[in-house]
Amino acid sequence: MMVKHFLSLEWKSFLRSASFGKSLGIKIFMGFIALYFIILFLGMGLLLYPGLKKTFPNKDPLLIVNSVLFYWILADLIFRFFFQKLPVMSVKPLLQLPIKRRDIVNFVLGKSALSFFNFLPLFAIVPFGITLIVKDYPTSAVLGWMIGLVLVTLIINFLNFIIESFSAETELSILPIVLLTGGLYALNHFNIISFNEIISNGFNAIYNAPLLNLTLLIILGILYWFNFKLLRQKLFLDSGLKTKIKEVNASNLEWTKNFGDIAPFMKLDLKLIWRNKRTKSSVWMLALGLLYGLFFYPQPTYQNLPWFFVFIGVFSTGIFLINFGQFIPAWDSGYYKLLMSQNIKYEQYLKSKFTLMSVSVIILFVLGIPYVFFGWKILLAHFAAAIYNVGVNTHVILYGGSFNRKKIDLSQKAAFNYQGTGAVQWLIGIPLLILPMGLFALFYFLVGFEVACLIIAVFGVAGIVLHQKLMRVITAKYLESKYKMINAFDENK
């Protein structure tokens, strides 16, 4: 009965949300992505047995599959950490009602077991298992083996949430998953502990004695209990009210006065970036953007793909623009209502964001000049991409921000955190990255490299020349959406 009540509340929350339209759009988009993976896994399940039999005619396909399960477990764990989050409810109002905390926690954990990530492997496991039965493998043994894989899938599900819980307490939130998966892979790779062989022998044993699944069931129960304890400890009305007291090393940022009337906003943005976990962790992404080209340029293959240079240039010089800009004004959602009640000019507020992003593009381009070591064409493409970022992408991302309706908790980790992400963040990637790459490739194949760079730069210069007019249009859009954003941010408290 209580589960039915929780499901009803979840459904009403979904339908009555201020961002219902945006959420529906992103869910439809994600539905197509899910369908793609379902077809992919289904095809793998159907073709796995005949494909392995054809490639390795003298080996048992089942033994081959068991021999690579360790790598599947690692890959699944990494994928879940990056993309799967624990389903949440607005539990604080429920804590004022005569509802047992264990019921709330059990519902949240039970809901996680129904995740798409847990059902997806079945589209490969079931067809492969049916094929084994058709090929005269013992039915009970195959069913036991399939149940074992399902239990391992659920074990990975709950293990992922434990890792996420610990990662949320660290400054570099990706560190726990890197240490765990990297450590296991290294131990296996250097034959210190052969996890590959242990997992393979374990599933071979389960195939021969399905009752061994009880061991997996016990492990699953322990992980569920551990998750239950972690969540139950955090389920209090005053949770999050008591904060850690720490000394803040604050700069007076006097140099921001050089930016005139937008200096106060610049100062607020810089303090926000440095003092909060999510924004502070995003600073580490600057290093990724700056070094992004090193993943491609040293390889001879990409040296022969100059039309790809502009994509790297846009990403490398615009990494801060993309990471910071896509959540404007959601960064200020915690005090957005207060901010909008002040006697400030909205255009100055937006101009400070524009200036901060433009300066970051220039700095990253200058720091990326050493890429000329790999060829002058790369530097030219980066220069054109930087101009495009300042003239076009800054305006595009500011305009897209007027559609943001989701609040952001600044105390949460930044790496692969999808809180505040909506349809806008997915769709805005088209003009930010795909459009300049498409334009560059078109003119590169029609005319040549230098002309393609010139076209990209011309678009950027045009945006810089029309900056004042574009900002007036963007400001008008923000003013039009002002009260919708206030209501949405207030609702997501």
Side-chain angles (χ1 to χ4, degrees):
M1 195 66 183
M2 190 57 67
V3 172
K4 182 180 178 181
H5 182 62
F6 286 148
L7 290 173
S8 174
L9 289 175
E10 289 279 289
W11 179 247
K12 289 175 181 177
S13 174
F14 172 71
L15 290 178
R16 296 175 183 177
S17 170
S19 59
F20 171 71
K22 300 286 187 301
S23 297
L24 187 61
I26 193 64
K27 282 178 172 57
I28 292 173
F29 174 75
M30 294 304 293
F32 283 108
I33 299 296
L35 183 61
Y36 167 78
F37 278 105
I38 287 172
I39 294 173
L40 188 68
F41 272 67
L42 187 62
M44 182 172 63
L46 292 171
L47 300 175
L48 194 56
Y49 186 92
L52 290 175
K53 200 66 179 174
K54 182 178 180 180
T55 308
F56 307 99
N58 298 322
K59 294 184 178 181
D60 187 344
L62 179 61
L63 296 179
I64 297 174
V65 170
N66 286 344
S67 68
V68 297
L69 286 179
F70 170 70
Y71 302 106
W72 165 67
I73 291 172
L74 285 186
D76 193 16
L77 193 58
I78 294 171
F79 190 81
R80 284 173 186 269
F81 181 84
F82 290 161
F83 296 103
Q84 183 188 19
K85 303 300 171 187
L86 184 67
V88 295
M89 298 174 64
S90 182
V91 297
K92 285 193 175 181
L94 299 178
L95 295 176
Q96 305 175 53
L97 302 175
I99 300 175
K100 294 180 179 179
R101 284 187 293 145
R102 71 164 181 264
D103 292 336
I104 300 173
V105 175
N106 281 326
F107 177 78
V108 173
L109 292 176
K111 187 179 175 183
S112 76
L114 300 177
S115 167
F116 171 75
F117 293 93
N118 296 330
F119 282 100
L120 185 60
L122 292 176
F123 290 96
I125 294 170
V126 173
F128 182 71
I130 292 174
T131 305
L132 291 176
I133 294 173
V134 171
K135 297 295 182 179
D136 295 327
Y137 284 72
T139 302
S140 60
V142 172
L143 290 176
W145 178 82
M146 292 168 65
I147 292 171
L149 285 179
V150 172
L151 290 173
V152 168
T153 301
L154 293 173
I155 287 172
I156 296 171
N157 177 76
F158 291 111
L159 179 60
N160 172 51
F161 297 139
I162 294 173
I163 296 171
E164 283 200 5
S165 178
F166 286 110
S167 70
E169 305 298 326
T170 61
E171 194 67 38
L172 192 57
S173 56
I174 199 174
L175 190 60
I177 189 67
V178 170
L179 290 177
L180 177 63
T181 56
L184 291 175
Y185 180 83
L187 290 171
N188 180 78
H189 180 75
F190 294 106
N191 293 319
I192 299 173
I193 301 176
S194 183
F195 291 106
N196 190 29
E197 188 175 342
I198 292 171
I199 298 295
S200 177
N201 291 337
F203 272 92
N204 290 337
I206 287 173
Y207 174 79
N208 294 316
L211 284 177
L212 290 175
N213 279 323
L214 290 173
T215 305
L216 295 178
L217 196 60
I218 292 171
I219 296 173
L220 178 61
I222 293 172
L223 292 176
Y224 184 93
W225 172 81
F226 197 82
N227 274 281
F228 182 90
K229 290 292 184 182
L230 285 175
L231 286 178
R232 201 165 187 267
Q233 289 172 1
K234 299 177 182 179
L235 210 62
F236 292 97
L237 276 173
D238 60 351
S239 178
L241 293 180
K242 184 178 180 181
T243 57
K244 294 180 180 179
I245 299 173
K246 59 181 180 180
E247 182 181 349
V248 177
N249 183 16
S251 170
N252 56 20
L253 300 174
E254 288 296 325
W255 57 269
T256 57
K257 290 182 179 179
N258 296 323
F259 292 96
D261 57 358
I262 66 170
F265 300 106
M266 288 279 289
K267 190 179 294 187
L268 284 173
D269 283 333
L270 291 170
K271 288 180 179 179
L272 178 143
I273 290 170
W274 192 247
R275 292 181 179 179
N276 296 282
K277 182 180 289 187
R278 181 159 180 181
T279 47
K280 188 177 180 180
S281 297
S282 295
V283 175
W284 294 102
M285 297 296 288
L286 294 177
L288 173 64
L290 187 61
L291 302 175
Y292 188 67
L294 295 179
F295 290 101
F296 302 97
Y297 295 143
Q299 302 180 38
T301 303
Y302 291 98
Q303 287 289 330
N304 298 323
L305 299 174
W307 56 270
F308 192 62
F309 293 171
V310 75
F311 174 83
I312 301 172
V314 169
F315 188 85
S316 181
T317 61
I319 184 68
F320 179 81
L321 180 154
I322 295 169
N323 278 279
F324 179 79
Q326 67 177 317
F327 294 115
I328 294 173
W331 294 122
D332 306 312
S333 57
Y335 52 90
Y336 191 75
K337 184 188 292 185
L338 173 64
L339 191 63
M340 292 299 102
S341 67
Q342 305 302 306
N343 184 23
I344 62 173
K345 291 184 178 179
Y346 215 128
E347 187 172 357
Q348 292 177 353
Y349 170 78
L350 294 174
K351 187 179 177 182
S352 71
K353 312 288 187 185
F354 170 84
T355 304
L356 193 60
M357 292 187 291
S358 298
V359 170
S360 75
V361 171
I362 295 170
I363 292 173
L364 286 170
F365 168 72
V366 172
L367 292 176
I369 288 178
Y371 278 123
V372 73
F373 174 79
F374 297 103
W376 68 269
K377 286 187 175 181
I378 291 173
L379 183 62
L380 182 61
H382 279 221
F383 180 67
I387 296 175
Y388 184 89
N389 272 331
V390 173
V392 178
N393 281 346
T394 48
H395 297 105
V396 168
I397 211 160
L398 280 176
Y399 186 81
S402 66
F403 296 94
N404 281 333
R405 300 289 186 271
K406 294 191 176 183
K407 188 174 181 178
I408 288 179
D409 183 356
L410 294 173
S411 65
Q412 299 298 314
K413 65 179 182 178
F416 301 96
N417 185 342
Y418 297 98
Q419 184 197 40
T421 303
V424 176
Q425 281 71 36
W426 292 93
L427 296 176
I428 208 168
I430 296 174
L432 282 179
L433 297 170
I434 298 176
L435 181 60
M437 186 177 176
L439 282 171
F440 187 87
L442 175 64
F443 284 96
Y444 168 74
F445 288 113
L446 290 178
V447 185
F449 182 85
E450 291 79 4
V451 174
C453 287
L454 179 63
I455 295 296
I456 294 297
V458 165
F459 271 91
V461 171
I464 295 171
V465 171
L466 298 173
H467 170 68
Q468 296 299 334
K469 291 184 178 179
L470 291 172
M471 287 302 291
R472 283 196 289 270
V473 172
I474 293 169
T475 302
K477 182 62 180 175
Y478 272 85
L479 290 172
E480 179 188 330
S481 306
K482 176 179 176 180
Y483 296 104
K484 294 179 182 177
M485 285 190 280
I486 289 174
N487 290 333
F489 293 153
D490 194 47
E491 178 187 301
N492 291 330
K493 280 185 177 181

